[in-house]
Amino acid sequence: MKLQKILILSICFEMFSAGAQTIVIPSRPDAAERKAAEELAEHFSEMTSSAIPLKKEGESFEPPAIYVGDTEFARKHGIAFSRFGKEQWLIRSAGRDLIVGGGKPRGTLYGVFELLERQFGVLWLDERMTRIPKRNKITWSPDLNLQGAPAFEVRGLYAYFRHPHEARRRFMARNRQNLYHDEGDVPYLHAWGIYRPFGSPRACHTFYDYTKDWGAENEACFSLDVDGGRKRAVSGSGPGQVCLSNPRTRMLFSAKLRDFIKADRAACPTGNYPWIYEISANDNDSKCVCPDCMAAAAKYGAYSGLVLEFINAIADSIAREYPDVVVETFAYMFSQTPPKNIRARSNVLVRVAQLGSEFSQGKRDTLRPLSHPNNLDSKKEIEAWSRIAPLAIWDYWIQYKKDGITSCFKAIPENLKFYRDIGVKSVFVEVESPLKNIFYPMRLWLGFRFLNNPERKAEEEIDLFLDAYYGPAAPKMKELLELIEKGNARIAGRLNDVTLRRRSDMDHDFFVKADRLFTEAENLAATAEQRRHIAKERAVVDMVRLERRGELPPADLEPVMKRLEKNHRIAAEDYLSEGGAVEEEMKKLQIFFSGLKADIRRPEEFRNEEIAVDLAWPQFSPYYRSRVIAAPDAAGGRAIAVQEEKDNGVLEFGFYDVTNKKQVHTVRIPKELLPQDEKFHFYPVGKIRLAPKCYVWAHSSWNIQRELNEFYESNGMSNDYELSDSIFRLRSFLS
């Protein structure tokens, strides 16, 4: 009896430890099945330091084998991958062999990636770093049986676009992203089973694309503005929209949609057609105010009801001819509030995009979970939409108009689980600005992980990343993360709204502790790669430290600047395209340094006046298409200029009250009244009253801006100012 027990244990051990000898693919594999097998072979080779052969069914090979794809072997074991969804995958032991496969076009690849992650501990951490634990042989449990699919049909993070693109695209494909936004149809990704889900013309703000070739006979189809004129858009930003209630507008859009669908299918002989067609407003807050449009909006209790009526009509027009096509539109700006008494058609997808509260149209605290008290209204809005329409989400994990050190690592897992639970089909997230966001690689990685499977545990995933990415320095980097999160939690208001000058968490004590943790982490790091990872995060903190120099005790900033110059270059090399982009970024850093050192004295004409706030170009962050230029006769030797914008020879500047959404002052000086000496001159804006959110702006593009929020007194006292605008070089307005 004792001998029999030993024999059984021996057999079980042999079944468990038998190493795979071969990877086998179908006799006629498709590109994705071949890529899946190659990925498996590549990672196994790195894992064991020995090659594993790749064979086709019908060729001789040495068992045991891992059968990859829709093999005859899988079918003999009752597995019909032809019935699987296009991203559904399966991993199953079959005696001494293993079956890995899935639906077309990506299921088999995802099965391979799940196997590498779950059974062998492989992690794709960024485009340069893959963690591949070493093994003597490739083994698996004899009862291994896993299957699944990603939580959302469409998954995409809009991050950095470093050229050459292949390494980034490979990294994102391995982490199961299947949306590359407006990168179009990328042949490189076809082997990964990835074809663009969005059809022509593109993935957002398409009204312009549908209307740009309209003639004068369709003038009534453009939006009627409050000034009584029809506005024609000149780009995806506007300025105009369309008249949604006009039956001819709907007819023209339906015809154009058919043209786009036909052209896309003619250009895609493989049959992997785009299936989402975006019909959404241009990127501005204007809308048609004709009587019919306003009456329809009133009927539905929100302008979004008219938008949904418009999209439903177009979706109905193509439903029978193209039953596989979904028409998507935005719940954004003027269409964000959910309507009443109307539902979306089953072939309509509503993409909810809640801007952060740093924008005049936004209210969302985007860096915090939707369960946070600041986001309760935003959460209710999404829930209301989910009851009347299939949903997509356009999310934001960054701040656009603020610098600072902020964490969104509690929001990412919690919000994605919430989206999955209410049935969201598609999630797209803007997470740009890698040079400004702390722990940027972890933002992307956590996003990938939870887009694929929201049931993961956040703390476990964070620890997993930190350990793999920073090695022995991980505990110190974890302390830094906790320090940041504790500081963020002390801010009761929306993180998007708090100006850097008033960031109470970014105090002297924070920077002292952060410096200590970074130094300890650098000393603990075991490799140059780990030190490089730490350097990128230290650059973010040092940048904010320098920007907040006025709120911190006096200190010698030269060592900080020297360290930042070194570490910022490391970050730029990792995130920006090869060639001139890195050097261009370093030039911007030098301009920033020159602003720190600039000797900007009060002009003679104001020497005897009492000045409450004195702002010059170092305090004006270049916005969108504006930039800092050399100007020897300007204050501090530099000025901010706008390029690629027409101004019609009129100098414009003013004051905008974001809180109340109104332009308070606008000054327009025509060309003929401007001094012709091409020198700098002061121009008064006039008396203003600060609001909790407000800014001064210059140029007709409004691309020179300076927020004044930080000077607002919440007690209502001392908010009245006599505002003299910045000095402008007039020739920049005379083009």
Side-chain angles (χ1 to χ4, degrees):
M1 192 70 174
K2 184 177 181 181
L3 179 62
Q4 185 180 16
K5 286 184 178 180
I6 293 174
L7 180 60
I8 292 171
L9 288 172
S10 176
I11 292 171
C12 289
F13 180 77
E14 180 64 25
M15 289 174 64
F16 181 83
S17 64
Q21 300 297 313
T22 314
I23 296 172
V24 180
I25 56 178
S27 58
R28 299 180 64 183
D30 64 22
E33 288 172 326
R34 180 174 291 278
K35 172 63 75 174
E38 291 170 351
E39 283 285 286
L40 201 58
E42 177 184 333
H43 286 79
F44 283 170
S45 175
E46 180 71 22
M47 198 177 295
T48 63
S49 299
S50 60
I52 183 168
L54 197 161
K55 299 285 186 177
K56 291 182 179 180
E57 283 188 310
E59 297 176 345
S60 60
F61 60 86
E62 187 175 351
I66 300 179
Y67 289 85
V68 175
D70 190 13
T71 58
E72 183 64 29
F73 183 85
R75 289 192 290 275
K76 286 181 179 179
H77 284 78
I79 302 170
F81 286 125
S82 60
R83 298 178 183 175
F84 276 44
K86 57 187 176 183
E87 295 187 326
Q88 187 179 356
W89 54 267
L90 175 143
I91 303 167
R92 182 176 296 172
S93 294
R96 299 175 68 226
D97 301 302
L98 185 66
I99 298 169
V100 183
K104 295 181 185 295
R106 292 180 291 280
T108 295
L109 269 159
Y110 289 177
V112 162
F113 297 147
E114 294 287 338
L115 176 68
L116 288 170
E117 276 187 2
R118 296 186 183 213
Q119 295 297 302
F120 302 107
V122 174
L123 299 174
W124 299 278
L125 298 159
D126 66 20
E127 70 175 53
R128 293 170 184 79
M129 184 181 181
T130 299
R131 188 192 77 170
I132 304 179
K134 295 294 183 180
R135 288 201 173 203
N136 292 326
K137 62 169 69 174
I138 304 303
T139 61
W140 57 86
S141 171
D143 60 352
L144 183 59
N145 187 6
L146 301 169
Q147 58 182 313
F152 304 97
E153 289 184 55
V154 180
R155 308 166 300 283
L157 301 185
Y158 187 80
Y160 59 96
F161 291 86
R162 186 177 185 276
H163 182 82
H165 300 291
E166 285 69 25
R168 171 182 57 84
R169 288 168 175 161
R170 179 176 64 244
F171 160 60
M172 293 179 174
R174 285 171 170 172
N175 280 291
R176 274 134 290 180
Q177 176 169 286
N178 67 1
L179 172 60
Y180 290 71
H181 193 53
D182 273 350
E183 289 193 68
D185 194 37
V186 181
Y188 172 82
L189 292 171
H190 292 173
W192 300 83
I194 296 172
Y195 299 82
R196 58 177 179 143
F198 280 89
S200 298
R202 52 204 179 96
C204 64
H205 304 305
T206 58
F207 275 12
Y208 165 70
D209 301 275
Y210 276 79
T211 63
K212 61 184 179 181
D213 58 353
W214 284 0
E217 70 278 7
N218 295 317
E219 192 69 17
C221 295
F222 289 105
S223 56
L224 183 70
D225 201 9
V226 290
D227 61 8
R230 297 282 176 179
K231 284 274 182 76
R232 179 186 288 265
V234 297
S235 73
S237 295
Q241 304 286 359
V242 298
C243 179
L244 299 171
S245 61
N246 189 327
R248 182 167 176 78
T249 308
R250 302 179 183 193
M251 180 193 71
L252 291 170
F253 267 70
S254 296
K256 190 70 172 179
L257 174 58
R258 282 188 173 81
D259 290 343
F260 284 137
I261 295 172
K262 290 175 182 177
D264 286 345
R265 299 197 171 194
C268 188
T270 64
N272 291 294
Y273 304 133
W275 59 280
I276 303 175
Y277 282 80
E278 180 80 11
I279 301 180
S280 58
N282 299 319
D283 195 7
N284 66 76
D285 203 20
S286 65
K287 55 185 179 288
C288 183
V289 296
C290 77
D292 288 345
C293 282
M294 298 310 293
K299 178 176 69 174
Y300 297 119
Y303 207 91
S304 59
L306 171 59
V307 174
L308 195 52
E309 180 187 276
F310 176 75
I311 296 298
N312 278 348
I314 296 169
D316 286 346
S317 74
I318 56 104
R320 184 171 297 178
E321 188 176 357
Y322 298 107
D324 55 331
V325 165
V326 169
V327 182
E328 181 178 87
T329 195
F330 266 132
Y332 175 65
M333 292 197 187
F334 63 80
S335 63
Q336 188 165 312
T337 302
K340 300 175 182 177
N341 307 317
I342 187 171
R343 297 181 63 85
R345 299 290 192 265
S346 59
N347 62 336
V348 166
L349 198 58
V350 174
R351 180 150 56 163
V352 179
Q354 295 179 328
L355 281 172
S357 58
E358 68 264 38
F359 292 96
S360 60
Q361 306 92 342
K363 59 185 178 182
R364 175 91 170 266
D365 194 345
T366 53
L367 299 175
R368 284 174 163 148
L370 281 159
S371 62
H372 191 277
N374 292 351
N375 284 325
L376 294 184
D377 288 343
S378 297
K379 183 180 180 182
K380 289 178 182 178
E381 186 175 87
I382 296 173
E383 289 172 329
W385 272 112
S386 74
R387 291 190 285 270
I388 62 173
L391 281 197
I393 293 290
W394 183 304
D395 220 339
Y396 308 89
W397 294 345
I398 61 170
Q399 295 182 108
Y400 285 94
K401 295 187 178 181
K402 305 283 190 305
D403 290 334
I405 302 168
T406 48
S407 162
C408 60
F409 300 114
K410 287 183 170 61
I412 291 171
E414 184 177 321
N415 289 350
L416 289 176
K417 188 175 188 302
F418 167 71
Y419 295 149
R420 191 279 313 272
D421 290 346
I422 64 170
V424 168
K425 297 178 181 296
S426 165
V427 178
F428 172 75
V429 185
E430 289 194 60
V431 57
E432 308 98 312
S433 302
L435 300 176
K436 291 186 175 183
N437 285 283
I438 196 77
F439 291 113
Y440 186 81
M442 190 162 72
R443 289 181 195 237
L444 296 188
W445 190 79
L446 277 183
F448 294 146
R449 300 283 280 181
F450 283 88
L451 280 168
N452 185 36
N453 178 10
E455 290 302 316
R456 301 181 191 275
K457 296 181 179 179
E459 285 302 316
E460 290 180 3
E461 294 298 310
I462 289 172
D463 288 344
L464 189 62
F465 180 89
L466 294 175
D467 288 343
Y469 207 65
Y470 300 106
K476 298 301 175 183
M477 300 304 285
K478 180 69 175 292
E479 281 188 61
L480 176 66
L481 176 61
E482 291 171 346
L483 178 67
I484 293 167
E485 290 182 331
K486 286 178 183 177
N488 288 177
R490 293 199 302 269
I491 298 175
R494 293 184 175 96
L495 287 170
N496 308 67
D497 292 345
V498 183
T499 64
L500 188 58
R501 182 170 175 251
R502 292 188 171 180
R503 282 290 296 270
S504 59
D505 55 335
M506 302 289 103
D507 57 10
H508 176 65
D509 184 58
F510 168 81
F511 290 108
V512 169
K513 290 179 179 177
D515 267 355
R516 174 181 58 80
L517 290 170
F518 276 125
T519 300
E520 291 173 352
E522 289 168 349
N523 292 336
L524 288 169
T527 66
E529 183 179 49
Q530 291 165 5
R531 285 188 288 274
R532 188 177 183 90
H533 296 163
I534 295 166
K536 291 191 290 188
E537 309 312 327
R538 193 162 200 172
V540 175
V541 173
D542 279 345
M543 179 70 80
V544 175
R545 179 179 178 178
L546 292 173
E547 289 175 331
R548 275 187 54 83
R549 64 198 177 280
E551 286 67 54
L552 301 174
D556 180 8
L557 299 180
E558 284 295 334
V560 181
M561 294 165 65
K562 185 175 180 180
R563 184 174 64 214
L564 175 58
E565 186 171 14
K566 174 187 173 184
N567 292 340
H568 195 70
R569 177 176 288 277
I570 289 172
E573 288 172 350
D574 278 7
Y575 297 127
L576 303 182
S577 295
E578 296 175 357
V582 173
E583 295 309 318
E584 186 63 30
E585 179 61 31
M586 298 310 293
K587 288 179 183 178
K588 293 179 183 177
L589 184 66
Q590 292 303 319
I591 291 174
F592 172 66
F593 287 165
S594 69
L596 300 180
K597 301 174 183 178
D599 181 15
I600 300 177
R601 301 176 184 181
R602 183 176 297 181
E604 282 296 326
E605 54 264 55
F606 295 98
R607 184 167 298 280
N608 297 321
E609 295 191 26
E610 184 178 343
I611 305 295
V613 178
D614 191 5
L615 302 174
W617 66 265
Q619 289 84 38
F620 276 74
S621 298
Y623 177 70
Y624 199 36
R625 294 190 179 98
S626 63
R627 64 191 184 97
V628 176
I629 63 169
D633 51 335
R638 295 184 185 273
I640 297 180
V642 177
Q643 292 185 330
E644 300 178 4
E645 294 285 354
K646 294 182 179 179
D647 47 58
N648 299 318
V650 177
L651 174 61
E652 291 188 67
F653 46 89
F655 173 77
Y656 187 74
D657 179 346
V658 179
T659 302
N660 298 299
K661 298 183 179 180
K662 63 180 181 179
Q663 174 62 23
V664 179
H665 285 286
T666 300
V667 178
R668 294 184 177 92
I669 305 176
K671 178 178 179 179
E672 58 270 17
L673 296 182
L674 291 172
Q676 301 299 305
D677 56 6
E678 295 192 359
K679 293 181 179 180
F680 289 95
H681 295 269
F682 279 101
Y683 295 93
V685 172
K687 293 182 179 180
I688 63 167
R689 173 165 289 181
L690 298 185
K693 288 195 287 185
C694 56
Y695 58 85
V696 290
W697 58 270
H699 195 263
S700 57
S701 65
W702 290 36
N703 282 341
I704 298 176
Q705 295 183 11
R706 182 29 161 111
E707 293 184 349
L708 301 177
N709 311 358
E710 63 194 83
F711 305 111
Y712 175 80
E713 298 295 340
S714 58
N715 59 15
M717 305 293 289
S718 304
N719 287 322
D720 293 323
Y721 287 83
E722 180 83 24
L723 191 64
S724 179
D725 210 317
S726 298
I727 308 174
F728 300 102
R729 179 176 295 281
L730 297 186
R731 61 172 170 259
S732 67
F733 295 92
L734 298 176
S735 57

